[in-house]
Amino acid sequence: MYITCLDLEGVLVPEIWIAFAQASGIPELKRTTRDEPDYDKLMKWRIGILKEHHLGLKEIQDTIATIDPMPGAKEFLDELRSLCQTIIISDTFTQFAGPLMKKLGMPTIFCNELTVNNDNEITGFKMRIANSKLTTVKALQSIGFDTIASGDSYNDLGMIQASKAGYLFRSTEQIIADYPQIPAFTEYDQLLNAIKEQLKK
């Protein structure tokens, strides 16, 4: 029995922080897990920049409201969910993900929580579990599931490599070059076909 585990940002929807960097005019916020493998370090740095510019959760949510799934993403996800159980495993936060899940047809998502004070300021974040993508895949395997995984960033590599089949999707040239053993795709049809082939095994 297979469960497919997908990353969210960069795979199904545009990167939230890049969109917010453009909307806010703060180019430093374009830095993502494609650039910084240490998520804890990245988030603390982001929160520092938000504080410096007096920006909070509402401003980010206003940007998220303008984001749509990538062209073809919902159709890909609908077909995939008709073939096997599918979970989105993301390092994003429930306060960010909610509106995007509605646009994707309310798939299951495992993500994290921001801590926000009464002044709308993001004061910190609470990770669901350490190394959540790899940990979740291993937990699914421990209860009898085989996993298929796909993502685009450094923080997806653990779950991709630990799965029965794993794929990079719209990743960076650097990651693709560093991990030539992982099949890399740029189109949903390619990824869907690879998953379909794996489901037959």
Side-chain angles (χ1 to χ4, degrees), residues 78-117:
D78 286 346
E79 186 167 352
L80 180 59
R81 291 168 73 192
S82 77
L83 299 171
C84 67
Q85 297 287 335
T86 303
I87 299 172
I88 296 170
I89 307 175
S90 174
D91 280 338
T92 193
F93 305 95
T94 55
Q95 294 95 331
F96 291 179
L100 297 169
M101 291 307 99
K102 288 179 183 175
K103 292 179 180 181
L104 285 169
M106 293 306 292
T108 299
I109 183 169
F110 295 168
C111 58
N112 306 300
E113 288 276 344
L114 291 168
T115 52
V116 184
N117 66 20

Side-chain angles (χ1 to χ4, degrees), residues 13 56 66 88-89 101 122 124 130 134-136 160 165 172 174 179:
V13 302
T66 70
I88 296 170
I89 307 175
M101 291 307 99
I122 298 172
L134 175 59
T135 304
T136 301
I160 288 171
T172 65
Q174 186 63 58
Y179 296 87

Side-chain angles (χ1 to χ4, degrees), residues 17 29 41-53 55 93 114-115 121-125:
W17 286 97
L29 288 174
K41 178 180 174 183
L42 178 63
M43 273 307 300
K44 286 176 178 172
W45 179 77
R46 286 167 168 168
I47 290 170
I49 290 176
L50 292 175
K51 189 168 186 175
E52 182 185 329
H53 290 270
L55 295 168
F93 305 95
L114 291 168
T115 52
E121 180 187 359
I122 298 172
T123 57
F125 56 99

